[in-house]
Amino acid sequence: MNTMDDIQLLETIERYLLGELSPTEAAQFESMRKTTPDIDQMVVEHSMFINEMANYANRKNFSKLSEITFNTLFDAGAWTPVNEQSTTYKVIQLWHRYKKVTAIAATVGGFIALITTIMTLYFSPSLNGSQVLQLSKAIEIIKTNQLAQGNLLNEVKTKLPENAVLISGGTGFLIDTKGYIITNAHVLKGNKAMVISSDGKELNADIIYTDQAADLALLKINDADFVSPKTIPYSIRKKTSELGEEVYTLGYPRNDNDIVYGKGYLSAKTGFDGDSNAYQLQISANPGYSGAPVFNENAELIGIINTRQKQLEGVAFAIKSAKIFDLIAASDKTNGDFKNLKNQRSNSSSKSDRKKQISNLEGYIYNIRSFN
Amino acid sequence: MTKKVKKIKNSHFGLLLNYLSINTLKAEYNEHALLKGLANNDSKAVETLYKCHFGMIQHFVTNNNGSFDDARDIFQEAMIALYEKVQHESFSLTCQIKTYLFSICKHLWLKRLQQMGKYSSPLNSEEEAISVTSDIEEAAQKDAAFDIMDRALNSLGEPCKGLLEGYYLNKKGMQELADEFGYTNSDNAKNQKYKCLMRLKKLFFAQYNIGD
């Protein structure tokens, strides 16, 4: 009722101001205005408001017209944008001044480059061949060393069953406080597995599920000595990460149980041969890094290292972290087993100091051993 | 750096004086028609102004620590100031459009440079061909009112914002708005429009009175 009156009054005032009232109506309204100061005040206020509204409308419409005009002319090439001519000018001056010196330097540089190229071309075939050889040798050495270490372990510790033969190894990481670990399927060439924590504790683990095509495997620590952590300090990224994003990894490429930190960046959103399930990373990855987690700056898990380019030093490939969810879904484990997975936040470690992040993460990354 | 700014500025000023001296009656007549067109939102007039004068402003701004985008923004502001000036019936331009636009742009740009701490010496209005200080002040007041209205309208939400913009900005009829916003008849739309208007006024005056 009250609002209806208000609306009616406002309408009358507006029509009065716009001159839309009939002469009799207008006369009536004016006498009302004279006798009622409240109404008079409302008229003054509204007239000012209508004026402001008209100004607003005019400017808004004109701005649009002006902008469109500018854009049309600009698109037609009416002006060439030149930014900060004064600084460009300085650079040009400098260039003129040092032109000669630069030219000489460039010539010398070019000459050296030419010689280098010729020499490289001359020597490269034999060099490349030995490099490839050396690399594969290195893999062999690690394998034999791992076997030797296996024997050693066999002698000293009891967790590895008697007559067990170490087949392969790599890195893995916890995805759940209950002891679920993700690693590469190719890390588990044997039919049994054992994990070693960063502080050297050996733990027995069951192979829950492997997906050879995705090259992912799910393990579960099955050992009384396992102390379940309260939380997992990283979240698993579901979205694709951005090109150029700084990444780092932690793995066990060495023969001892020392964790190794590696830094690099995401160099392509697809893996080897355009594989959309993987990323290409610019990172130095050695054998043993297989299954190592790849984190971004916010300590979000974005991928799992699995292969490297043989010909190109420093190029590695990582399976996208979203594939972990597919693996879990395929593993026939109920969601209850991973109830923490979805709620994980890269909480305390996010954006904090890298050293702090690493010491935080170490305890969740395991050295994986597979044996028969 | 300050020296450089001044030097370039003065060379422009010389160009301007040069231009003024070759001013003809014919040009004056054209300018009048141009301003009339501008007052009536004639796109041809706006286009002519951009074509004739933006190059000069681009040159000035980019030679004085600014980018192309800065030049565009500054020129747009000056165009709005000129547009709002020609809206008044009492309007008269005591100089050429070119001089006016350049003075406004120079003033606005040096003020902005000062705010960024890139230009330290105070603005000297004696150097200018014409004093635009009062125009600048008026434009600043209008800017404030415009911003208040803009914020008030944007905080209304739909359908109020659309309804009021349709009526006051795009001058649509009540029936057209009723169809567009799905009201059964124009009376319903009108009622809704007034309800929205009351809300808008409340929001507007809450800000406007603080500004006073």
Side-chain angles (χ1 to χ4, degrees):
Chain A
M1 189 57 193
N2 208 350
T3 45
M4 268 322 286
D5 283 349
D6 284 347
I7 287 174
Q8 217 170 15
L9 185 60
L10 187 61
E11 192 189 339
T12 316
I13 293 172
E14 198 165 286
R15 284 179 59 210
Y16 167 73
L17 288 169
L18 297 172
E20 286 174 5
L21 292 180
S22 70
T24 42
E25 275 178 320
Q28 242 179 351
F29 184 75
E30 263 164 16
S31 70
M32 206 163 93
R33 195 183 157 186
K34 269 178 199 147
T35 51
T36 329
D38 278 2
I39 289 180
D40 184 54
Q41 173 59 29
M42 279 173 81
V43 172
V44 173
E45 194 193 75
H46 198 69
S47 113
M48 183 224 151
F49 180 82
I50 289 282
N51 190 31
E52 288 295 347
M53 193 64 165
N55 286 343
Y56 176 83
N58 279 340
R59 182 188 276 214
K60 193 113 180 165
N61 288 333
F62 179 73
S63 296
K64 207 181 265 169
L65 173 68
S66 173
E67 234 179 272
I68 290 168
T69 310
F70 175 86
N71 289 336
T72 322
L73 285 171
F74 182 70
D75 289 343
W79 312 287
T80 8
V82 181
N83 284 340
E84 311 218 8
Q85 285 179 347
S86 46
T87 46
T88 332
Y89 182 60
K90 272 182 211 152
V91 173
I92 287 168
Q93 261 188 335
L94 275 174
W95 167 247
H96 282 308
R97 193 178 302 164
Y98 294 106
K99 198 157 63 176
K100 278 179 193 166
V101 184
T102 318
I104 293 163
T107 319
V108 173
F111 190 62
I112 292 170
L114 201 68
I115 290 173
T116 318
T117 315
I118 293 165
M119 299 219 347
T120 314
L121 278 173
Y122 187 75
F123 288 112
S124 58
S126 57
L127 208 71
N128 269 346
S130 72
Q131 266 178 349
V132 171
L133 250 171
Q134 271 177 348
L135 196 68
S136 45
K137 218 177 189 177
I139 295 165
E140 294 284 330
I141 289 164
I142 284 169
K143 270 188 180 163
T144 46
N145 277 357
Q146 274 179 343
L147 280 167
Q149 203 184 17
N151 290 335
L152 192 79
L153 289 170
N154 211 358
E155 282 170 27
V156 182
K157 307 234 174 177
T158 51
K159 290 229 164 134
L160 209 61
E162 266 183 61
N163 304 323
V165 183
L166 267 178
I167 305 283
S168 55
T171 306
F173 54 93
L174 276 183
I175 55 158
D176 189 272
T177 53
K178 289 199 186 94
Y180 284 100
I181 286 177
I182 292 279
T183 186
N184 285 144
H186 80 256
V187 165
L188 305 171
K189 289 204 177 91
N191 48 30
K192 293 189 187 86
M194 184 192 77
V195 303
I196 309 166
S197 67
S198 60
D199 53 9
K201 203 195 288 177
E202 285 186 18
L203 300 163
N204 287 316
D206 297 335
I207 301 173
I208 302 289
Y209 186 76
T210 51
D211 183 341
Q212 295 294 344
D215 196 17
L216 282 177
L218 184 67
L219 301 176
K220 188 175 192 272
I221 297 173
N222 183 13
D223 200 303
D225 290 347
F226 175 62
V227 184
S228 160
K230 279 196 184 110
T231 54
I232 304 288
Y234 40 83
S235 60
I236 299 171
R237 194 176 166 88
K238 280 183 188 162
K239 285 187 206 151
T240 303
S241 285
E242 288 309 314
L243 218 60
E245 191 166 50
E246 200 190 282
V247 297
Y248 63 95
T249 184
L250 290 161
Y252 296 91
R254 288 166 48 168
N255 296 327
D256 52 25
N257 199 54
D258 276 357
I259 201 159
V260 177
Y261 166 72
K263 197 182 94 172
Y265 59 89
L266 204 148
S267 52
K269 282 184 179 181
T270 54
F272 186 71
D273 221 6
D275 178 7
S276 64
N277 293 327
Y279 295 118
Q280 184 182 315
L281 307 176
Q282 196 68 33
I283 204 164
S284 66
N286 297 313
Y289 259 131
S290 273
V294 181
F295 298 105
N296 67 10
E297 289 173 298
N298 303 327
E300 265 183 309
L301 186 102
I302 68 153
I304 306 105
I305 286 185
N306 72 329
T307 50
R308 60 179 285 193
Q309 186 103 299
K310 267 188 187 165
Q311 290 83 3
L312 281 168
E313 183 58 36
V315 174
F317 300 104
I319 302 161
K320 289 178 182 171
S321 52
K323 300 303 286 180
I324 293 174
F325 294 102
D326 297 351
L327 184 81
I328 290 164
S331 71
D332 279 343
K333 287 280 151 194
T334 52
N335 279 334
D337 276 293
F338 298 97
K339 63 172 185 279
N340 298 324
L341 202 60
K342 275 167 196 152
N343 305 322
Q344 277 160 17
R345 289 279 172 275
S346 41
N347 42 28
S348 56
S349 52
S350 65
K351 295 242 176 195
S352 68
D353 178 33
R354 180 66 51 87
K355 281 182 204 156
K356 232 191 221 165
Q357 278 183 6
I358 292 165
S359 69
N360 229 354
L361 296 171
E362 263 182 14
Y364 301 86
I365 296 158
Y366 289 84
N367 196 345
I368 312 281
R369 294 286 154 91
S370 182
F371 56 89
N372 274 332
Chain B
M1 191 185 73
T2 311
K3 246 185 193 167
K4 186 166 224 164
V5 171
K6 267 194 182 162
K7 206 177 122 196
I8 294 158
K9 196 175 69 195
N10 285 340
S11 78
H12 258 291
F13 190 58
L15 270 175
L16 271 178
L17 287 178
N18 206 7
Y19 194 87
L20 284 171
S21 63
I22 54 160
N23 180 19
T24 62
L25 266 173
K26 198 185 164 205
E28 226 168 71
Y29 174 77
N30 283 343
E31 296 239 309
H32 187 72
L34 205 53
L35 291 175
K36 220 173 169 186
L38 179 67
N40 294 319
N41 287 316
D42 175 14
S43 63
K44 200 73 205 157
V46 178
E47 196 186 308
T48 309
L49 287 171
Y50 264 106
K51 269 184 180 165
C52 292
H53 307 303
F54 179 70
M56 164 184 74
I57 303 306
Q58 182 199 352
H59 191 69
F60 169 74
V61 172
T62 53
N63 270 304
N64 287 280
N65 286 309
S67 66
F68 184 78
D69 287 349
D70 289 329
R72 182 198 60 204
D73 293 348
I74 287 286
F75 194 76
Q76 164 98 336
E77 264 183 69
M79 285 284 280
I80 289 170
L82 183 62
Y83 170 78
E84 289 184 342
K85 198 176 163 74
V86 296
Q87 294 299 308
H88 295 295
E89 279 174 30
S90 61
F91 162 77
S92 69
L93 201 60
T94 52
C95 63
Q96 275 202 312
I97 296 175
K98 191 179 181 116
T99 317
Y100 185 81
L101 282 175
F102 184 72
S103 299
I104 294 267
C105 285
K106 194 185 89 181
H107 208 291
L108 286 172
W109 180 241
L110 295 185
K111 202 170 153 190
R112 198 169 287 180
L113 280 181
Q114 234 175 5
Q115 281 165 352
M116 294 189 298
K118 284 188 177 173
Y119 181 74
S120 51
S121 72
L123 293 173
N124 200 343
S125 51
E126 284 161 47
E127 276 183 33
E128 288 172 27
I130 48 146
S131 175
V132 287
T133 324
S134 62
D135 284 15
I136 295 275
E137 272 168 22
E138 211 182 308
Q141 261 176 16
K142 279 181 181 154
D143 279 353
F146 179 87
D147 287 344
I148 292 170
M149 188 66 89
D150 202 45
R151 252 175 307 176
L153 254 175
N154 282 315
S155 56
L156 272 182
E158 295 297 346
C160 276
K161 184 175 180 265
L163 212 50
L164 292 176
E165 280 184 347
Y167 187 80
Y168 289 100
L169 267 68
N170 306 326
K171 318 278 184 221
K172 286 179 184 167
M174 238 38 250
Q175 188 54 52
E176 194 184 339
L177 288 169
D179 294 341
E180 191 180 321
F181 287 86
Y183 293 103
T184 43
N185 56 50
S186 66
D187 269 353
N188 281 345
K190 199 171 74 185
N191 259 335
Q192 186 58 44
K193 188 212 97 181
Y194 278 114
K195 274 184 198 165
C196 294
L197 188 62
M198 284 199 288
R199 279 184 54 208
L200 179 68
K201 277 181 77 176
K202 243 183 215 164
L203 287 166
F204 175 80
F205 281 109
Q207 283 291 315
Y208 195 82
N209 293 336
I210 292 167
D212 277 344

